[in-house]
Amino acid sequence: MADSNEMTINLVVLGKTQTGKSAAGNSLLGSSDFESRLCPSSVTTCCSLGRSGRILGLMRRNGCESALRVRVLDTPSYPHSALSKERVRDTVTAGLAQHFGEEGLHLALLVLRADLPLCPDERNDTVQLIQELLGPTWKDFTAVLLTHADKAEEAGYTEETYLHSASSTLLSLLNSIKHKYIFLDNHSIIKEERNIVLRKLLNFIQKNNYQVLLKHSKE
């Protein structure tokens, strides 16, 4: 908290290569802080922190409008085309400690593509990494961002019909994190769409009683 009329939420984006992880971080920030492009190899090799400006009109505290600031930690993907799992884990652990070690992490956002099925092996690898990063309470601090939702929409799916047709692997994951998920288009989202996403994230954080996960150092 900067003051009683301002709140900062700390987020980290996690996911495999070409899921739109860095692009999702840019959408949340309303900027282009993170490099995001089509590439046959993993683009992100280190952690980097992006910060939004003051965002108004999303929340009120004690009857008064409060400003929101968003901080997003972009991370190397896993699996990564050049880094081992251990290197990715250690890099993200150090990044969490450096940037959120004092204020804590509000949410880890697992980025998955809505236009690709989630397979059991992929889920197991991803969940194992998140457990190693966040510890035993990872489910309370994890939400899923389903990117490329515009492609699912073009194929005729609504959110409801998409989830009805989704793999049991994805549905099991969403159930384990108490259905904290958000659909996100892969193009540059407009301010109104961004505000809808941020309101959903604030709702997840509120339901978790504004708790934060503190990661001071590698465990």
Side-chain angles (χ1 to χ4, degrees):
M1 300 285 178
D3 57 52
S4 60
N5 291 319
E6 186 172 293
M7 178 181 181
T8 298
I9 58 173
N10 295 327
L11 311 169
V12 60
V13 287
L14 304 166
K16 61 185 294 188
T17 296
Q18 297 300 317
T19 54
K21 177 172 52 63
S22 298
N26 286 334
S27 293
L28 295 172
L29 294 171
S31 68
S32 56
D33 286 32
F34 307 130
E35 182 180 7
S36 175
R37 55 186 170 85
L38 180 63
C39 183
S41 60
S42 302
V43 175
T44 306
T45 58
C46 60
C47 292
S48 59
L49 185 70
R51 300 175 175 85
S52 75
R54 298 175 80 248
I55 306 168
L56 300 173
L58 291 183
M59 55 185 297
R60 299 180 68 85
R61 296 170 63 94
N62 301 320
C64 299
E65 183 178 55
S66 294
L68 176 70
R69 291 185 186 271
V70 181
R71 300 202 302 166
V72 178
L73 185 67
D74 192 21
T75 64
S77 59
Y78 176 74
H80 196 281
S81 63
L83 304 177
S84 67
K85 176 186 177 182
E86 291 73 22
R87 180 69 180 273
V88 171
R89 181 194 61 210
D90 292 348
T91 298
V92 178
T93 298
L96 289 171
Q98 176 185 352
H99 298 290
F100 301 149
E102 296 302 322
E103 296 181 7
L105 173 72
H106 288 96
L107 269 180
L109 304 177
L110 171 58
V111 182
L112 303 173
R113 287 185 63 145
D115 61 334
L116 296 176
L118 179 65
C119 301
D121 288 347
E122 180 186 349
R123 178 205 183 274
N124 293 340
D125 289 344
T126 303
V127 167
Q128 182 182 6
L129 179 64
I130 292 177
Q131 287 175 325
E132 292 178 12
L133 289 170
L134 304 185
T137 60
W138 70 273
K139 294 177 183 178
D140 296 329
F141 294 93
T142 300
V144 166
L145 279 184
L146 290 159
T147 60
H148 296 75
D150 46 316
K151 293 186 178 180
E153 185 177 346
E154 289 169 4
Y157 288 101
T158 64
E159 289 190 18
E160 182 178 352
T161 57
Y162 177 90
L163 292 174
H164 184 73
S165 304
S167 68
S168 59
T169 303
L170 175 59
L171 296 178
S172 174
L173 173 61
L174 296 181
N175 185 57
S176 72
I177 59 172
K178 301 178 181 177
H179 300 279
K180 297 192 297 290
Y181 64 87
I182 295 173
F183 285 88
L184 191 67
D185 290 350
N186 202 45
H187 56 71
S188 298
I189 62 175
I190 61 176
K191 178 180 177 182
E192 289 75 13
E193 293 172 331
R194 175 191 178 212
N195 286 350
I196 290 172
V197 172
L198 291 177
R199 284 192 183 96
K200 290 180 179 179
L201 292 176
L202 283 169
N203 184 51
F204 297 157
I205 292 168
Q206 181 183 29
K207 286 183 176 179
N208 201 32
N209 299 313
Y210 297 99
Q211 294 182 84
V212 293
L213 191 65
L214 294 171
K215 305 298 288 185
H216 291 293
S217 61
K218 178 182 174 182
E219 296 179 348

